[in-house]
Amino acid sequence: MLRLKCISDKFGSRLTLIQLRTFLTAKFPELDEFPKSIKSYDDLHKYSIENSDHFWGTLAKNRLDWFKPFNKVNNGAKFGDLENYNSQWFLDGKLNVSVNCVDRHYQKNPNKVALLWEKDEPGFHESVTYEQLYKMMNKMANLLKSCGVQKGDRVAFYMPTCSMTVACMMACARIGALHSVVFAGFSSESLASRINDANCKIVITANQAIRGGKIINLKKTVDEAIKLYPSVKNVLVYKRTENKFEFNAEKDIVIDEVLDQFSSECQPEIMDANDPLFMLYTSGSTGKPKGLVHAQAGYILQSAFSHQIAFNFEKDDVFGCLADVGWITGHTYIVYAPLCNGGTTVLFESSPIYPNPSRYWETIQRLKINQLYIAPTSIRLLIKNGDEWLKKYDLSSLKLLGSVGEPINHEAWHWYDEVVGQKRCKIIDTWWQTETGSLMIAPLPCGKNDQIKPAMAMRPFFGIDAVLLDEKGNEKEPKNTEGILCIKKPWPSMARTIYGDHQRFINTYLRPYPGYYFTGDGSHVDNDRHFQITGRVDDVINVSGHRIGTAEVEDVLDESHHISESAVVGFPHDTLGEGIFAFVTLRNDADFNEEQVVKELKALVKSKIAGYAVPHYFLFVSNLPKTRSGKIMRRVLRNIASNKFDEMGDTSTLFDPSLIDEITAKYKKLK
Ligand code: 6R9
């Protein structure tokens, strides 16, 4: 009891407004416009929810440049409205996101570095100033227009993390086209299905990408993809390397060869605050990936605001979010938020262990990175390689270390704090999703690190009404308990729909627990009402921060003529966080050579989805454990794959309980 009390006192949930002011005044001038009765973070958080119109309205007026001011902050959409849910923010306001991200900084500070592109080639980076970015963006916007791209059109990207990708994203924002960035590790089939789903007429790619010294032929994959989807009109190719590529005179345009023919001025399209800004695919618990659509003003406002507040971002900082630009983390915290805040942002094209495990540290020293933002999987990989790799580097520029993508384990958190941060830096674990647009739960960087609890995301951000529900959908008292993490009210940066399927959006996120947004994650809250995310509660596996729907992998495995049925589950993995385990049953007539079949299945998943979705283990079983009603009991398979043989729970509804022994015995043999 005494111990608990000490912890509670030390970390007291009442972060005072004086502390907030000390750390944030320059970044949060709006504090003065909120009632004087607000005395703590909790008070302000409550105010931001109960008076969200005043809260977000004040920020939106202050922080964004508008062509025409909005006349209403929010349309009052409720999650419980399963018929007509349609959340709108800053109604009737007109703006252009590229003006907010580029023009206004170019006008004030043209020579400031906007982008630091850390190329794969060790030791090489390229700087792009706001003036250069402005010109690249506008030329690119004019090139896109010359290809017939108009407001509302979708443009597919299959690009490395590099300056040209950012310029192209901004160019889309400038002319009101939606970019749909497809991670450049996806197979040609995955790319084709995404091009097709959004009916993209234009694809932007590079001849090649280089990652960890390896050449990846992006253009070739695009060519294969558009064979499957011939209505793509043009492929715009950026020459990342000098190597030759197959040129299709009918469709291909080499960006580098034509860009200078276009004017470096392009009138920004006047966009409505609720027009779509971009779309991004993500995996869910059913087979087909979802193209989530983000809207203009709400997304950019909350992204930029959270970037400043949660990461304690100062205007001259160098922000190092070392993710791939093709994930939401890259969209929000490499591109949109740092640029909207007029910052300098790093584009990291390489791998943390190329050419050796000093890569991050050498980069931090050379680029003088102030905030580092990476995933726990990279941290664990670097721990495994040993501390010597850090020792000779000067990491004194670092002020804050962020983590994202999956739950951070205690060992990784403490190593991050002690070895990388040398106990001087604030550590923030940030929980959020493609759907949420920007971070949702994170410790604010106020006070000393001893006010941040290890391995916890802690505080719902301003405007975020996070609650825990029990299985029946009842709200739990948020104190020392566990439950399903849900959100009670819409927030500005929330995705608005799934491209082409609003009903699926409602069914996926709003129908499971009417009245709430269902995150798909579980969470614990402690006595101080601080959150610790425990992981997915649905059929989604998180491998190194990459979301993979079990159904997606099963769909592909089931296509094989060897396979009768499959069930895919996650299991704890030392470095990746979770690994993928596939239980499969064979067709009776299958001509069976285990090794050969595994090889074929792996190749199949790689070609249909991506390398990271390939299961780490395959186990051939005579049948899958099913309930009498025919549902696969995944819980049992998850326990077997996680070595938890004693925690099978209630298996009385299984059709054939003896299967568990068979599968367990085979599993033990495999391991
Ligand atoms: C930003 C991003 C979202 C899923 C999410 C959750 C997991 C992300 C986390 C975390 C524990 C964190 N996740 N951050 N789990 N702690 N700090 O990763 O978006 O790719 O859509 O993944 O990732 O399971 O639901 P996305």
Side-chain angles (χ1 to χ4, degrees):
M1 195 57 216
L2 188 67
R3 208 180 74 88
L4 264 182
K5 179 154 189 320
C6 287
I7 289 174
S8 185
D9 282 345
K10 186 172 166 196
F11 294 119
S13 65
R14 280 186 76 79
L15 189 60
T16 65
L17 204 61
I18 297 172
Q19 283 175 313
L20 261 183
R21 278 184 201 283
T22 318
F23 288 92
L24 299 174
T25 306
K27 291 186 253 8
F28 204 166
E30 297 91 345
L31 278 177
D32 291 332
E33 298 189 38
F34 301 134
K36 299 277 171 284
S37 56
I38 294 174
K39 294 279 184 286
S40 68
Y41 174 83
D42 289 353
D43 294 348
L44 186 57
H45 180 252
K46 194 159 170 243
Y47 185 80
S48 71
I49 289 169
E50 291 174 357
N51 301 275
S52 73
D53 281 9
H54 185 227
F55 185 83
W56 291 113
T58 308
L59 297 175
K61 268 186 221 145
N62 211 15
R63 287 164 188 260
L64 297 179
D65 283 8
W66 297 88
F67 296 132
K68 175 176 171 270
F70 52 93
N71 58 30
K72 198 170 169 200
V73 176
N74 178 232
N75 70 343
K78 302 254 182 314
F79 286 149
D81 178 6
L82 300 179
E83 296 303 312
N84 302 304
Y85 172 80
N86 171 21
S87 174
Q88 303 249 305
W89 290 83
F90 314 116
L91 287 84
D92 288 328
K94 309 281 178 208
L95 80 173
N96 185 290
V97 168
S98 79
V99 170
N100 280 279
C101 288
V102 185
D103 299 34
R104 56 181 182 167
H105 313 303
Y106 155 64
Q107 279 149 11
K108 272 197 222 126
N109 221 341
N111 296 326
K112 175 160 185 180
V113 174
L115 313 176
L116 283 168
W117 173 22
E118 173 71 11
K119 296 182 158 191
D120 189 61
E121 295 87 337
F124 289 93
H125 68 265
E126 245 176 55
S127 309
V128 176
T129 64
Y130 273 95
E131 179 172 7
Q132 289 166 326
L133 179 59
Y134 176 82
K135 292 183 174 164
M136 260 167 103
M137 160 184 80
N138 282 334
K139 288 179 183 180
M140 197 61 216
N142 286 323
L143 166 57
L144 286 169
K145 275 183 160 178
S146 79
C147 297
V149 180
Q150 294 179 348
K151 180 172 172 175
D153 287 350
R154 284 79 46 212
V155 178
F157 283 44
Y158 194 67
M159 285 288 275
T161 298
C162 64
S163 314
M164 182 53 84
T165 309
V166 178
C168 292
M169 290 166 83
M170 285 297 139
C172 286
R174 190 136 195 111
I175 63 175
L178 287 73
H179 52 74
S180 167
V181 181
V182 178
F183 171 59
F186 278 117
S187 66
S188 56
E189 278 203 33
S190 297
L191 173 61
S193 76
R194 286 157 173 77
I195 293 173
N196 186 10
D197 183 60
N199 195 10
C200 301
K201 297 280 183 296
I202 306 286
V203 182
I204 304 180
T205 189
N207 62 333
Q208 298 184 313
I210 324 180
R211 191 148 190 274
K214 281 199 211 94
I215 299 264
I216 308 153
N217 290 307
L218 300 187
K219 171 66 168 49
K220 194 162 162 253
T221 308
V222 171
D223 288 344
E224 284 164 14
I226 64 173
K227 257 189 232 145
L228 298 166
Y229 188 63
S231 53
V232 166
K233 200 176 129 238
N234 290 119
V235 177
L236 309 186
V237 189
Y238 162 62
K239 277 166 68 175
R240 167 62 182 88
T241 67
E242 291 308 316
N243 299 331
K244 286 217 167 67
F245 60 93
E246 204 166 306
F247 183 77
N248 169 353
E250 200 193 315
K251 294 195 172 178
D252 296 352
I253 296 172
V254 180
I255 296 175
D256 317 56
E257 288 169 7
V258 301
L259 202 59
D260 282 338
Q261 299 164 12
F262 291 92
S263 161
S264 56
E265 292 296 332
C266 174
Q267 274 297 319
E269 195 71 39
I270 301 200
M271 302 300 288
D272 187 87
N274 292 291
D275 277 339
L277 174 63
F278 67 81
M279 53 187 295
L280 186 61
Y281 285 87
T282 191
S283 296
S285 47
T286 53
K288 198 172 146 228
K290 304 178 283 239
L292 287 154
V293 180
H294 278 286
Q296 306 268 332
Y299 171 81
I300 194 66
L301 175 69
Q302 197 170 348
S303 297
F305 176 59
S306 62
H307 175 245
Q308 236 181 8
I309 302 298
F311 293 97
N312 213 356
F313 182 80
E314 313 267 349
K315 73 176 185 355
D316 292 325
D317 284 348
V318 174
F319 194 75
C321 170
L322 307 187
D324 191 285
V325 79
W327 302 114
I328 191 66
T329 306
H331 280 49
T332 303
Y333 294 111
I334 296 178
V335 182
Y336 283 102
L339 293 182
C340 187
N341 288 331
T344 300
T345 185
V346 176
L347 304 161
F348 184 78
E349 193 185 24
S350 195
S351 125
I353 51 169
Y354 179 73
N356 60 47
S358 288
R359 183 59 189 262
Y360 276 172
W361 324 123
E362 192 274 325
T363 305
I364 291 165
Q365 172 180 284
R366 185 161 32 83
L367 304 184
K368 301 199 167 37
I369 291 176
N370 300 112
Q371 288 91 358
L372 177 69
Y373 193 29
I374 55 178
T377 185
S378 309
I379 301 174
R380 290 191 293 265
L381 179 70
L382 292 164
I383 294 177
K384 232 164 97 177
N385 279 282
D387 299 358
E388 325 59 90
W389 294 105
L390 279 109
K391 291 213 168 108
K392 62 178 198 264
Y393 295 96
D394 174 9
L395 304 181
S396 59
S397 60
L398 289 174
K399 297 192 281 193
L400 179 141
L401 308 171
S403 168
V404 62
E406 39 171 335
I408 183 165
N409 49 314
H410 277 79
E411 186 198 5
W413 195 96
H414 286 291
W415 187 82
Y416 211 22
D417 180 29
E418 286 155 28
V419 181
V420 183
Q422 292 147 10
K423 286 255 169 210
R424 300 178 294 103
C425 297
K426 311 220 158 68
I427 314 291
I428 64 163
D429 176 24
T430 62
W431 174 85
W432 58 293
Q433 310 177 297
T434 307
E435 294 84 344
T436 69
S438 59
L439 63 83
M440 299 284 279
I441 306 185
L444 291 175
C446 309
K448 300 197 194 92
N449 222 11
D450 66 4
Q451 286 173 321
I452 296 178
K453 294 179 190 172
M456 285 185 82
M458 293 179 75
R459 297 185 174 89
F461 192 64
F462 298 112
I464 306 306
D465 197 0
V467 295
L468 295 188
L469 304 188
D470 67 18
E471 301 266 309
K472 294 203 178 88
N474 299 316
E475 254 182 62
K476 293 181 119 178
E477 158 78 17
K479 236 177 147 78
N480 202 12
T481 188
E482 250 178 41
I484 299 158
L485 178 62
C486 287
I487 317 288
K488 235 170 146 170
K489 271 184 85 171
W491 59 97
S493 70
M494 182 180 174
R496 302 300 167 83
T497 191
I498 291 175
Y499 187 82
D501 200 349
H502 193 58
Q503 209 47 50
R504 186 172 176 207
F505 181 84
I506 290 177
N507 290 346
T508 309
Y509 303 110
L510 309 185
R511 208 174 286 281
Y513 296 97
Y516 300 89
Y517 164 80
F518 170 57
T519 64
D521 283 298
S523 181
H524 172 80
V525 286
D526 67 7
N527 268 330
D528 299 323
R529 301 172 180 250
H530 290 145
F531 287 72
Q532 180 166 42
I533 314 302
T534 47
R536 301 292 300 194
V537 294
D538 58 5
D539 290 328
V540 173
I541 307 176
N542 189 330
V543 183
S544 326
H546 297 178
R547 272 162 74 166
I548 298 153
T550 52
E552 244 178 293
V553 182
E554 288 163 8
D555 274 0
V556 172
L557 294 177
D558 295 348
E559 274 179 37
S560 157
H561 65 275
H562 296 299
I563 298 299
S564 159
E565 223 182 358
S566 62
V568 166
V569 297
F571 67 94
H573 188 291
D574 280 356
T575 45
L576 305 176
E578 274 191 292
I580 308 177
F581 202 111
F583 294 87
V584 287
T585 63
L586 291 161
R587 292 200 181 169
N588 285 338
D589 57 352
D591 180 13
F592 180 56
N593 166 332
E594 193 167 315
E595 242 171 70
Q596 189 54 32
V597 174
V598 167
K599 228 167 140 190
E600 281 176 33
L601 294 176
K602 285 186 170 175
L604 192 65
V605 177
K606 194 167 172 201
S607 73
K608 298 265 174 182
I609 311 177
Y612 67 74
V614 174
H616 300 91
Y617 293 101
F618 286 88
L619 193 71
F620 296 94
V621 295
S622 66
N623 221 329
L624 296 171
K626 290 187 188 154
T627 61
R628 281 168 221 278
S629 61
K631 284 205 178 67
I632 297 174
M633 214 185 246
R634 290 167 179 284
R635 172 170 55 81
V636 165
L637 294 175
R638 243 180 266 147
N639 286 344
I640 295 176
S642 313
N643 273 322
K644 293 183 188 157
F645 308 114
D646 303 331
E647 296 171 32
M648 291 301 172
D650 179 12
T651 53
S652 60
T653 56
L654 272 182
F655 184 70
D656 177 6
S658 72
L659 260 176
I660 296 187
D661 291 340
E662 178 206 312
I663 301 176
T664 307
K666 282 194 173 153
Y667 170 85
K668 286 183 177 159
K669 236 173 157 183
L670 177 80
K671 280 268 171 135

